[in-house]
Amino acid sequence: DDTIVQIHQDFDEEVHEFPDVTDVSDAPPQPVILRRSTRPTKSPSYLNAYHCNQVKSAAIPSSSNHVSGTSHPLHSYMSYTNLSSSFKSFCCAISSIIEPTFYHQAVGNPKWQAAMDAEISGLEANHTWTVTSLPPGKKPIGCKWVYKVKYKSDGSVERYKARLVAKGFTQKEGLDYIDTFSPVAKMVSVKAVLAVAAVKGWFLSQLDVNNAFLHGDLHEEVYMSLPPGFHSKGEQSQVVHSKGEQPQLVCKLNKSLYGLKQASRMWFSKFSTALIDLGFVQSKADYSLFTRQQGDSFIVLLVYVDDVLIASNDQKGVEEFKALLDQKFKLKDLGDLRYFLGLEVARTAKGISLCQRKYALEILED
C-alpha cells in the first residue's frame, strides 16, 4: 500500500512540473478551415445552350437566405415569372447564340460561311468594287467582317447576317473623304414615340434595309484591301504587270461601303430624299424623325442607320408604304417591334415595357 501511495505522489509532482499538459478529451473541437482553390472555374461548354441561372432564379424568391457567393445575386433582381411565354422565349433566344468577333471564329461555321458568301455575292452584283492593281502612291484601307444575328418578333432566327466593313479610321480627310456628318435617331425621340404609341394604341413595327450603304454614291477615289476569305472570279489572273509580276490586288470602291467615314452620310441623304418623295416631312427637332399625315392616317418613322422604327394608327397604310419603299430599297420586314437600339420592347394591354437585359448581360460578360 505504501508503494502505491508513493507512485501516486510521484505522478502528481510530474504533472505539476508540466502545467500546460491538459486532458485532450476536455478540449473543445477546433473548426476545420477549408482551403478555397484559386484556380479559375469555367462552366462546361454543353451548358452554353441553356439558361441555367435564369431557370434557377424562378424557383428562388428574392427574400430567401440562399447563399450564392456574391453580394448581389442576379436572381434577386431579375426574374422571368411575370413574362408571357412568347416574350420569355424571345428573351432567351436573343442571348442563346454567340456572335463571332473575328473571321477565324466564323469561317468554320456553315451558317456564317453562307452569310459571308451571300454578302460577297450581293456586293459583286451591285458592282460595289472593281478588283485592280494598286496604283503607285496609293495606300489601301483595311476591312473586316462583322457578324450579327437578326431575330423575328417571336424570337426565331430571321437570318445570320455577315457585313463587310471598311476600316474607315485609316482614311485621310480631304483625300478619302470630305463630309461625314449624318443624323441618327436620338434615344429621347425613341422613348417619346413609344410613349405616344402606348397612349394612342398605335401599331409598332420594324424594318431592316439590306446592304443599306451600298445605295449611297461614292465620289472619292478609295482603294480597299481584299476581304478575308475573298476569292475573285477570274479577275486575279487578268491583272498582271507588263513585266509578268503579280501586283498587289485591291478593291477600287465604286459605291459606298459600311465603315467608310462618308458612308452613313451618303446613305441617309438618299433614304431621306426617297421618304420626302413619298410625302413625309422631316422634323427640324430630330432630323431622323419623319411624319406623314394623310386624312386620318398618320405614320411616324425613326431612322437609325439601316434600322427603321414605324409607328402608325393605320396598319393598312403602313403595309402600302412598305411595298412602295421596297421598290426603291430591298427591305427585311422584322414584324412587330421587339428589339430596337438595345431596347427589348414588351407590349400588353396595360402599356409598353422597356428593358435592356441583353445589353446589361453583355456588359457584365465583357
Side-chain angles (χ1 to χ4, degrees):
D1 294 337
D2 295 337
T3 303
I4 295 176
V5 173
Q6 185 63 36
I7 293 175
H8 281 287
Q9 291 177 353
D10 295 340
F11 178 77
D12 291 338
E13 292 177 358
E14 292 180 1
V15 171
H16 288 298
E17 290 179 2
F18 302 97
D20 295 334
V21 177
T22 57
D23 189 357
V24 178
S25 61
D26 296 336
Q30 296 296 326
V32 179
I33 300 176
L34 299 178
R35 184 182 65 86
R36 174 171 291 185
S37 174
T38 57
R39 184 174 60 183
T41 59
K42 185 178 181 181
S43 302
S45 58
Y46 64 84
L47 291 180
N48 292 339
Y50 302 93
H51 290 260
C52 305
N53 295 333
Q54 288 86 340
V55 174
K56 185 177 180 181
S57 66
I60 303 176
S62 58
S63 60
S64 69
N65 296 324
H66 176 72
V67 180
S68 63
T70 60
S71 302
H72 303 281
L74 188 61
H75 63 74
S76 299
Y77 305 93
M78 185 181 72
S79 174
Y80 289 96
T81 54
N82 295 327
L83 301 182
S84 64
S85 57
S86 60
F87 192 70
K88 186 187 299 183
S89 300
F90 172 79
C91 290
C92 292
I94 61 177
S95 301
S96 60
I97 300 177
I98 300 177
E99 298 168 346
T101 306
F102 304 101
Y103 171 76
H104 69 270
Q105 297 173 338
V107 67
N109 190 318
K111 294 180 179 179
W112 290 118
Q113 184 63 55
M116 288 187 286
D117 293 340
E119 174 77 354
I120 290 294
S121 298
L123 294 174
E124 289 181 331
N126 198 53
H127 304 291
T128 307
W129 60 56
T130 302
V131 178
T132 182
S133 59
L134 183 65
K138 294 290 185 178
K139 186 177 181 180
I141 61 176
C143 60
K144 63 174 291 186
W145 287 103
V146 176
Y147 305 96
K148 194 73 176 176
V149 179
K150 292 290 184 177
Y151 298 94
K152 296 181 181 178
S153 58
D154 59 356
S156 60
V157 176
E158 193 273 329
R159 62 178 167 139
Y160 288 78
K161 184 175 182 179
R163 176 179 292 168
L164 185 65
V165 178
K167 295 181 179 180
F169 57 84
T170 61
Q171 290 181 267
K172 294 183 179 180
E173 185 177 2
L175 181 63
D176 300 320
Y177 70 94
I178 300 176
D179 295 327
T180 62
F181 173 76
S182 177
V184 292
K186 301 176 182 178
M187 188 56 68
V188 64
S189 300
V190 176
K191 293 179 180 179
V193 170
L194 293 178
V196 176
V199 175
K200 299 290 186 179
W202 288 349
F203 302 100
L204 292 171
S205 57
Q206 186 177 3
L207 295 177
D208 177 69
V209 183
N210 282 348
N211 298 323
F213 283 9
L214 302 186
H215 298 285
D217 298 321
L218 189 64
H219 304 295
E220 297 83 6
E221 185 178 1
V222 181
Y223 295 91
M224 184 185 73
S225 58
L226 295 179
F230 173 73
H231 302 284
S232 59
K233 302 176 181 179
E235 295 166 334
Q236 186 168 351
S237 60
Q238 299 175 8
V239 185
V240 180
H241 282 308
S242 58
K243 297 181 180 180
E245 299 175 356
Q246 186 68 35
Q248 178 184 357
L249 294 180
V250 293
C251 298
K252 182 180 183 299
L253 297 181
N254 304 321
K255 295 186 178 180
S256 183
L257 191 67
Y258 286 91
L260 295 180
K261 289 185 176 294
Q262 66 269 44
S264 181
R265 180 182 180 86
M266 297 295 100
W267 152 247
F268 187 84
S269 175
K270 196 159 191 174
F271 189 66
S272 59
T273 300
L275 292 178
I276 294 174
D277 292 341
L278 291 175
F280 282 85
V281 178
Q282 188 174 18
S283 171
K284 299 300 181 183
D286 187 342
Y287 284 89
S288 62
L289 177 66
F290 297 83
T291 59
R292 187 179 73 178
Q293 177 81 48
Q294 291 182 343
D296 295 333
S297 176
F298 185 71
I299 301 178
V300 180
L301 258 71
L302 267 176
V303 182
Y304 193 96
V305 190
D306 57 351
D307 287 326
V308 183
L309 168 63
I310 302 178
S312 176
N313 62 351
D314 182 13
Q315 192 169 16
K316 182 179 179 181
V318 171
E319 296 301 326
E320 294 175 352
F321 161 72
K322 290 179 181 178
L324 292 174
L325 197 62
D326 190 51
Q327 296 176 3
K328 297 179 176 292
F329 311 99
K330 191 176 181 181
L331 304 177
K332 279 288 184 179
D333 190 351
L334 301 179
D336 296 335
L337 180 65
R338 280 294 177 89
Y339 189 75
F340 187 74
L341 302 184
L343 291 174
E344 299 167 43
V345 183
R347 190 167 194 175
T348 65
K350 296 181 180 180
I352 297 175
S353 174
L354 302 180
C355 177
Q356 288 185 295
R357 167 193 161 277
K358 181 177 185 293
Y359 175 68
L361 290 177
E362 287 177 349
I363 291 180
L364 291 175
E365 184 178 356
D366 290 340

